[in-house]
Amino acid sequence: MTTVNAEGSFSRNVADLIGRIAYRRIQSDEDRRAIFRLRYECYLREGAIAPNETCLFEDDFDSAPNGSIFGLYIDGVLASSIRVHVATAEVPFAPALAVFGDILGARIAAGETIVDPTRFVVDHELSRLYPGLPYATVRMGMLASEHAEADYALATVRTEHRAFYRRLLFMEPVGEPRLYPNLKNPINLMGVSFPLMRQRVYTRYPFMASTREEQDRLFGSRRFRAPRRDHGAAPVTGEAAAA
Protein backbone atom coordinates (compact mmCIF):
# COMPACT_ATOMS: atom_id res chain seq x y z
CA MET A 1 0.00 0.00 0.00
CA THR A 2 1.39 3.42 -0.88
CA THR A 3 1.86 6.14 1.72
CA VAL A 4 -0.93 8.20 0.13
CA ASN A 5 -3.39 5.30 0.28
CA ALA A 6 -2.38 4.50 3.85
CA GLU A 7 -2.94 8.10 4.95
CA GLY A 8 -6.31 8.13 3.18
CA SER A 9 -7.41 4.94 4.89
CA PHE A 10 -6.21 6.25 8.26
CA SER A 11 -8.09 9.54 7.81
CA ARG A 12 -11.29 7.71 6.88
CA ASN A 13 -11.02 5.51 9.95
CA VAL A 14 -10.57 8.51 12.24
CA ALA A 15 -13.40 10.35 10.50
CA ASP A 16 -15.67 7.35 11.07
CA LEU A 17 -14.72 7.36 14.74
CA ILE A 18 -15.41 11.10 15.02
CA GLY A 19 -18.88 10.37 13.67
CA ARG A 20 -19.48 8.25 16.78
CA ILE A 21 -18.02 10.71 19.27
CA ALA A 22 -19.93 13.31 21.27
CA TYR A 23 -17.73 16.35 21.92
CA ARG A 24 -18.96 18.13 25.05
CA ARG A 25 -17.87 21.25 26.88
CA ILE A 26 -17.76 20.23 30.53
CA GLN A 27 -19.81 22.34 32.93
CA SER A 28 -21.31 20.29 35.77
CA ASP A 29 -19.36 19.43 38.91
CA GLU A 30 -20.08 15.74 38.33
CA ASP A 31 -18.63 15.81 34.83
CA ARG A 32 -15.62 17.81 35.98
CA ARG A 33 -14.88 15.24 38.67
CA ALA A 34 -15.07 12.46 36.08
CA ILE A 35 -12.55 14.36 33.94
CA PHE A 36 -10.24 14.96 36.91
CA ARG A 37 -10.46 11.26 37.80
CA LEU A 38 -9.54 10.25 34.24
CA ARG A 39 -6.62 12.69 34.31
CA TYR A 40 -5.39 11.23 37.58
CA GLU A 41 -5.53 7.66 36.28
CA CYS A 42 -3.69 8.57 33.06
CA TYR A 43 -0.98 10.72 34.62
CA LEU A 44 -0.43 8.23 37.43
CA ARG A 45 -0.06 5.36 34.93
CA GLU A 46 2.60 7.38 33.06
CA GLY A 47 4.45 8.13 36.28
CA ALA A 48 3.94 11.86 35.74
CA ILE A 49 2.37 12.52 39.16
CA ALA A 50 2.46 11.05 42.65
CA PRO A 51 -0.61 9.30 44.16
CA ASN A 52 -2.98 11.42 46.21
CA GLU A 53 -5.91 10.69 48.50
CA THR A 54 -8.56 12.28 46.27
CA CYS A 55 -7.65 10.28 43.13
CA LEU A 56 -8.33 13.49 41.20
CA PHE A 57 -5.95 15.72 39.24
CA GLU A 58 -6.83 19.38 38.78
CA ASP A 59 -5.14 22.77 38.99
CA ASP A 60 -5.94 26.47 39.17
CA PHE A 61 -6.06 26.83 35.39
CA ASP A 62 -9.19 24.66 35.33
CA SER A 63 -11.06 27.71 36.62
CA ALA A 64 -9.41 30.36 34.41
CA PRO A 65 -11.97 32.59 32.64
CA ASN A 66 -10.49 31.87 29.20
CA GLY A 67 -10.24 28.10 29.65
CA SER A 68 -12.59 25.31 28.60
CA ILE A 69 -12.54 21.63 29.50
CA PHE A 70 -13.84 19.14 26.96
CA GLY A 71 -14.83 15.51 27.21
CA LEU A 72 -15.16 13.09 24.30
CA TYR A 73 -17.77 10.37 24.75
CA ILE A 74 -18.25 7.13 22.85
CA ASP A 75 -21.67 5.54 23.35
CA GLY A 76 -22.11 7.75 26.42
CA VAL A 77 -18.81 6.67 28.01
CA LEU A 78 -16.07 9.22 28.74
CA ALA A 79 -13.21 8.27 26.42
CA SER A 80 -10.82 11.23 26.54
CA SER A 81 -10.46 14.85 27.57
CA ILE A 82 -8.51 17.96 26.73
CA ARG A 83 -8.43 21.50 28.12
CA VAL A 84 -8.03 24.59 25.94
CA HIS A 85 -7.03 28.14 26.86
CA VAL A 86 -7.31 31.03 24.41
CA ALA A 87 -4.81 33.67 25.56
CA THR A 88 -4.88 37.28 24.39
CA ALA A 89 -3.52 40.58 25.67
CA GLU A 90 -6.89 41.14 27.37
CA VAL A 91 -6.92 37.69 29.02
CA PRO A 92 -3.27 36.54 29.18
CA PHE A 93 -3.84 33.34 31.13
CA ALA A 94 -2.57 29.94 29.97
CA PRO A 95 -0.39 27.19 31.46
CA ALA A 96 2.26 27.66 28.76
CA LEU A 97 2.53 31.37 29.57
CA ALA A 98 3.18 30.53 33.22
CA VAL A 99 6.15 28.34 32.27
CA PHE A 100 7.38 29.84 28.99
CA GLY A 101 6.34 33.45 29.52
CA ASP A 102 9.74 34.79 28.48
CA ILE A 103 9.22 33.15 25.08
CA LEU A 104 5.49 33.74 24.58
CA GLY A 105 5.05 37.06 26.37
CA ALA A 106 6.21 39.12 23.39
CA ARG A 107 3.58 37.47 21.19
CA ILE A 108 0.81 38.33 23.64
CA ALA A 109 2.12 41.88 24.03
CA ALA A 110 2.08 42.25 20.24
CA GLY A 111 -1.62 41.42 20.18
CA GLU A 112 -1.45 37.79 19.03
CA THR A 113 -4.04 35.20 19.98
CA ILE A 114 -2.49 31.98 21.31
CA VAL A 115 -4.31 28.67 21.76
CA ASP A 116 -2.85 26.39 24.42
CA PRO A 117 -4.35 22.87 24.70
CA THR A 118 -3.30 20.95 27.81
CA ARG A 119 -4.34 18.04 30.06
CA PHE A 120 -4.76 15.74 27.06
CA VAL A 121 -5.75 12.31 28.41
CA VAL A 122 -7.22 9.18 26.82
CA ASP A 123 -8.83 6.23 28.59
CA HIS A 124 -6.34 3.37 28.49
CA GLU A 125 -8.72 0.58 27.51
CA LEU A 126 -10.68 2.64 24.98
CA SER A 127 -7.46 3.81 23.32
CA ARG A 128 -6.67 0.16 22.58
CA LEU A 129 -10.13 -0.35 21.06
CA TYR A 130 -10.04 2.91 19.11
CA PRO A 131 -6.49 3.78 17.92
CA GLY A 132 -7.79 6.99 16.33
CA LEU A 133 -9.00 8.37 19.66
CA PRO A 134 -5.88 10.49 20.38
CA TYR A 135 -6.23 12.14 16.96
CA ALA A 136 -9.92 12.84 17.52
CA THR A 137 -8.98 14.45 20.85
CA VAL A 138 -6.14 16.61 19.51
CA ARG A 139 -8.65 17.83 16.91
CA MET A 140 -10.13 20.05 19.65
CA GLY A 141 -7.01 22.21 19.49
CA MET A 142 -7.55 22.77 15.77
CA LEU A 143 -11.22 23.51 16.33
CA ALA A 144 -10.38 26.02 19.08
CA SER A 145 -7.70 27.68 16.95
CA GLU A 146 -10.12 28.03 14.06
CA HIS A 147 -12.83 29.51 16.27
CA ALA A 148 -10.42 31.96 17.95
CA GLU A 149 -8.70 32.94 14.70
CA ALA A 150 -5.44 32.02 16.42
CA ASP A 151 -2.09 33.42 15.40
CA TYR A 152 -0.07 30.76 17.20
CA ALA A 153 -0.94 27.20 18.23
CA LEU A 154 0.90 25.43 21.04
CA ALA A 155 1.54 22.04 22.56
CA THR A 156 3.38 21.48 25.84
CA VAL A 157 4.52 17.88 25.75
CA ARG A 158 7.01 15.34 27.04
CA THR A 159 10.09 14.82 24.89
CA GLU A 160 8.95 11.42 23.60
CA HIS A 161 5.72 12.96 22.28
CA ARG A 162 7.33 15.67 20.17
CA ALA A 163 7.37 13.53 17.03
CA PHE A 164 3.58 13.09 17.20
CA TYR A 165 2.97 16.84 17.10
CA ARG A 166 5.61 17.45 14.48
CA ARG A 167 4.03 14.83 12.20
CA LEU A 168 0.40 15.72 12.82
CA LEU A 169 0.48 19.51 13.25
CA PHE A 170 3.87 20.51 11.78
CA MET A 171 4.93 21.94 15.15
CA GLU A 172 8.56 22.51 16.10
CA PRO A 173 10.23 22.68 19.53
CA VAL A 174 10.72 26.17 20.94
CA GLY A 175 13.50 26.52 23.52
CA GLU A 176 14.59 23.82 25.94
CA PRO A 177 12.44 21.52 28.12
CA ARG A 178 11.44 22.97 31.48
CA LEU A 179 9.91 21.77 34.72
CA TYR A 180 6.14 22.09 34.67
CA PRO A 181 3.95 22.68 37.76
CA ASN A 182 2.50 19.51 39.33
CA LEU A 183 4.35 17.18 36.91
CA LYS A 184 7.47 15.10 37.51
CA ASN A 185 8.84 15.22 33.95
CA PRO A 186 10.25 18.21 32.04
CA ILE A 187 7.93 19.57 29.35
CA ASN A 188 8.75 20.84 25.86
CA LEU A 189 7.10 23.84 24.27
CA MET A 190 6.13 23.26 20.65
CA GLY A 191 4.50 25.82 18.43
CA VAL A 192 3.50 26.78 14.92
CA SER A 193 1.91 29.70 13.09
CA PHE A 194 -1.70 28.63 12.79
CA PRO A 195 -2.46 30.58 9.58
CA LEU A 196 0.52 28.93 7.88
CA MET A 197 -0.18 25.45 9.25
CA ARG A 198 -3.95 25.07 9.03
CA GLN A 199 -4.44 24.25 5.35
CA ARG A 200 -1.54 21.81 5.34
CA VAL A 201 -3.19 19.91 8.19
CA TYR A 202 -6.64 19.90 6.59
CA THR A 203 -5.19 18.68 3.30
CA ARG A 204 -3.29 15.81 4.88
CA TYR A 205 -5.83 15.00 7.62
CA PRO A 206 -9.33 16.07 6.52
CA PHE A 207 -10.85 14.79 9.77
CA MET A 208 -9.22 17.73 11.56
CA ALA A 209 -11.58 20.18 9.86
CA SER A 210 -14.70 21.54 11.55
CA THR A 211 -17.68 23.64 10.61
CA ARG A 212 -18.52 27.02 12.09
CA GLU A 213 -21.65 25.47 13.57
CA GLU A 214 -19.62 22.90 15.50
CA GLN A 215 -17.19 25.57 16.69
CA ASP A 216 -20.00 27.82 17.91
CA ARG A 217 -21.76 24.92 19.62
CA LEU A 218 -18.67 24.13 21.69
CA PHE A 219 -17.24 27.62 22.25
CA GLY A 220 -20.20 29.94 21.78
CA SER A 221 -21.00 32.30 18.94
CA ARG A 222 -18.71 35.12 20.12
CA ARG A 223 -15.85 35.54 17.65
CA PHE A 224 -12.50 37.18 18.35
CA ARG A 225 -12.24 38.34 14.74
CA ALA A 226 -14.13 38.05 11.48
CA PRO A 227 -14.23 34.40 10.35
CA ARG A 228 -11.65 33.24 7.84
CA ARG A 229 -12.80 32.18 4.43
CA ASP A 230 -14.31 28.68 4.62
CA HIS A 231 -11.61 26.06 4.19
CA GLY A 232 -14.04 23.74 2.44
CA ALA A 233 -14.56 21.29 5.28
CA ALA A 234 -17.49 18.97 4.89
CA PRO A 235 -20.04 19.22 7.70
CA VAL A 236 -19.36 16.86 10.56
CA THR A 237 -21.90 14.07 10.68
CA GLY A 238 -23.16 11.74 13.34
CA GLU A 239 -23.20 12.36 17.07
CA ALA A 240 -20.24 14.72 16.91
CA ALA A 241 -22.42 17.21 15.07
CA ALA A 242 -25.57 16.71 17.10
CA ALA A 243 -24.36 16.29 20.68
Side-chain angles (χ1 to χ4, degrees):
M1 181 180 291
T2 67
T3 300
V4 172
N5 288 339
E7 287 187 351
S9 177
F10 166 76
S11 289
R12 286 192 295 273
N13 289 338
V14 178
D16 289 344
L17 176 61
I18 288 171
R20 294 186 55 190
I21 289 175
Y23 287 80
R24 299 177 187 169
R25 187 173 182 174
I26 301 302
Q27 311 230 355
S28 74
D29 289 341
E30 180 180 359
D31 287 342
R32 285 170 68 90
R33 285 181 63 85
I35 295 291
F36 298 156
R37 190 176 304 113
L38 176 62
R39 281 187 196 167
Y40 176 82
E41 293 169 355
C42 292
Y43 279 86
L44 188 65
R45 180 179 291 108
E46 291 184 349
I49 61 172
N52 67 52
E53 294 181 355
T54 68
C55 296
L56 304 174
F57 186 42
E58 58 183 306
D59 61 45
D60 291 342
F61 282 103
D62 287 314
S63 300
N66 60 327
S68 302
I69 301 172
F70 296 93
L72 279 66
Y73 296 79
I74 299 176
D75 300 331
V77 176
L78 177 63
S80 65
S81 176
I82 196 166
R83 181 180 67 187
V84 178
H85 287 83
V86 178
T88 64
E90 292 73 27
V91 192
F93 308 126
L97 283 168
V99 179
F100 298 96
D102 56 320
I103 297 174
L104 299 173
R107 290 183 176 274
I108 291 293
E112 291 191 12
T113 296
I114 294 177
V115 169
D116 182 18
T118 55
R119 298 296 186 248
F120 166 29
V121 291
V122 179
D123 179 90
H124 180 64
E125 294 301 323
L126 290 177
S127 69
R128 298 173 67 179
L129 291 174
Y130 305 104
L133 188 55
Y135 298 87
T137 309
V138 170
R139 177 175 176 265
M140 274 302 313
M142 288 293 293
L143 194 151
S145 297
E146 198 69 64
H147 180 268
E149 293 291 298
D151 297 290
Y152 202 61
L154 301 180
T156 47
V157 304
R158 289 164 55 175
T159 299
E160 60 266 33
H161 295 158
R162 291 187 304 183
F164 173 84
Y165 289 90
R166 181 183 287 114
R167 181 178 67 254
L168 184 65
L169 300 176
F170 304 100
M171 290 183 171
E172 293 295 336
V174 183
E176 297 297 321
R178 297 182 182 181
L179 292 177
Y180 203 79
N182 304 318
L183 298 180
K184 292 182 178 181
N185 305 305
I187 295 297
N188 297 260
L189 175 66
M190 301 191 72
V192 67
S193 166
F194 183 69
L196 296 180
M197 167 268 274
R198 58 191 291 276
Q199 195 56 54
R200 294 176 68 192
V201 172
Y202 296 142
T203 298
R204 179 176 291 184
Y205 303 110
F207 62 82
M208 283 290 192
S210 59
T211 64
R212 181 170 182 177
E213 289 74 19
E214 185 184 18
Q215 296 161 25
D216 289 352
R217 176 174 58 78
L218 290 169
F219 285 95
S221 58
R222 177 179 175 270
R223 292 273 163 164
F224 289 83
R225 305 172 186 168
R228 284 192 179 92
R229 187 178 356 180
D230 181 27
H231 50 62
V236 179
T237 58
E239 193 175 4

